[in-house]
Amino acid sequence: MKRAATLSALACLLAVTAAAPTSPGAAKRPERPYQGSLLDAVPKKGVLKVCTTGDYAPFTKLDPAGRTYSGVDIEMARDLAKSLDAEPRFTATTWADLTRDVAARRCDIGVGGVSITPARARQVYFSEPTREDGKTPIVRCADKDRFGAGTLKDIDKTGMRVVVNPGGTNEEFTRANIKQATIKLHPENTTIFQEIIDGRADVMMTDASETLYQSRIHPELCALHPDKPFTFSEKAYAMPRGDEEFKEYVDQFVHLAKHDGTYAKYEDEWMK
């Protein structure tokens, strides 16, 4: 009887509480941020936040005048956003900060010739790779014979000047392999190849894809053995860890783009 009476009293209390009018001045409960997958959140917002450096053609290039981005991975990001019924919102980052920005969810995805490394993979998920790549030298064509076969031994000599952009895999590779030559840091990746053209540096080691693009737009520069790079690497897109649904979607998006000719078309526009 006591238990029945208690339940009856509780039911009455709940009914009164539910029927009580809300005070006009009562504070509203703050709206909670979306906790689900980006696969649902991006279409809901209508925006795909994309982190990119803008300094690594042919994958990402920022036009400083119009503040617009272009490149192979920029076009892929636009297609990805469209597939999610969203618009891309490009956010500038640096090579030192790109994966940290993605991990902190300052953006939904990071693009622009991002190489997969174990250190980066500890911070973010990577999509299915878009292409294979590897480090190779680029030099003045007039100096090509000076480098012989273009081996690391040919490059790592006293008096040789190796220019490198800081904060990414280029610097990591150069510092691990260059002990005798002089390493010159140049913070602007968009102007770094001019250092070689103007004779302030002798060689840069970067991804073969970039050497092919730069030798195309600068006939004074020659890529050494881009078909046989020093290293093996793969490029992909970076995403926040833990969001399995979004990762699976991006994987499928990349897979289809690689096999239906979309990705190859964008690369051909820049590299051939």
Side-chain angles (χ1 to χ4, degrees):
M1 291 294 291
K2 287 184 179 180
R3 183 170 180 271
T6 301
L7 290 174
S8 177
L10 179 60
C12 290
L13 178 62
L14 291 173
V16 170
T17 303
T22 304
S23 170
K28 292 183 179 180
R29 181 176 296 175
E31 185 178 341
R32 294 179 63 190
Y34 189 80
Q35 298 296 317
S37 172
L38 287 169
L39 186 58
D40 300 313
V42 169
K44 186 176 180 180
K45 295 182 299 183
V47 173
L48 177 71
K49 295 183 293 182
V50 184
C51 277
T52 193
T53 62
D55 65 354
Y56 188 22
F59 302 105
T60 176
K61 182 180 180 182
L62 175 64
D63 176 8
R67 303 301 297 173
T68 56
Y69 289 92
S70 60
V72 177
D73 287 341
I74 298 301
E75 294 305 319
M76 286 283 285
R78 289 194 174 105
D79 287 352
L80 176 62
K82 185 178 180 180
S83 78
L84 292 166
D85 300 320
E87 294 291 330
R89 179 186 296 162
F90 295 103
T91 299
T93 188
T94 66
W95 287 110
D97 292 333
L98 190 147
T99 50
R100 286 199 292 263
D101 285 342
V102 174
R105 295 180 179 263
R106 296 188 185 97
C107 43
D108 304 321
I109 193 166
V111 311
V114 184
S115 297
I116 300 173
T117 68
R120 287 172 174 170
R122 291 179 63 183
Q123 299 182 60
V124 296
Y125 279 167
F126 278 106
S127 69
E128 176 175 319
T130 55
R131 74 181 326 272
E132 294 182 3
D133 221 323
K135 303 302 178 189
T136 202
I138 185 168
V139 303
R140 285 183 297 276
C141 295
D143 295 341
K144 194 173 179 180
D145 292 343
R146 179 183 174 194
F147 292 87
T151 65
L152 284 170
K153 187 176 180 181
D154 294 324
I155 295 169
D156 191 19
K157 295 179 178 178
T158 301
M160 198 73 75
R161 298 164 299 172
V162 183
V163 66
V164 65
N165 55 316
T169 57
N170 286 344
E171 183 180 15
E172 180 182 339
F173 176 80
T174 299
R175 293 199 181 280
N177 290 280
I178 297 302
K179 306 301 179 185
Q180 305 301 319
T182 300
I183 297 174
K184 295 185 61 178
L185 284 178
H186 187 78
E188 276 291 329
N189 204 36
T190 54
T191 59
I192 194 168
F193 295 95
Q194 198 64 39
E195 295 296 295
I196 304 173
I197 294 171
D198 292 344
R200 291 184 291 271
D202 301 305
V203 58
M204 179 181 178
M205 290 180 289
T206 185
D207 293 324
S209 54
E210 186 175 33
T211 67
L212 290 170
Y213 172 74
Q214 291 295 333
S215 61
R216 176 191 169 200
I217 64 172
H218 297 297
E220 312 97 312
L221 298 178
C222 285
L224 304 183
H225 55 77
D227 56 332
K228 295 180 180 178
F230 294 132
T231 62
F232 170 82
S233 66
E234 292 178 312
K235 297 193 180 302
Y237 304 138
M239 296 162 286
R241 283 175 51 183
D243 193 338
E244 306 289 345
E245 294 178 5
F246 186 60
K247 181 187 183 310
E248 288 178 8
Y249 182 85
V250 175
D251 282 344
Q252 287 300 309
F253 170 83
V254 171
H255 182 80
L256 292 172
K258 285 169 57 182
H259 287 80
D260 69 6
T262 300
Y263 186 84
K265 179 187 73 172
Y266 293 147
E267 272 207 343
D268 289 347
E269 291 172 358
W270 283 82
M271 298 172 69
K272 289 187 178 180

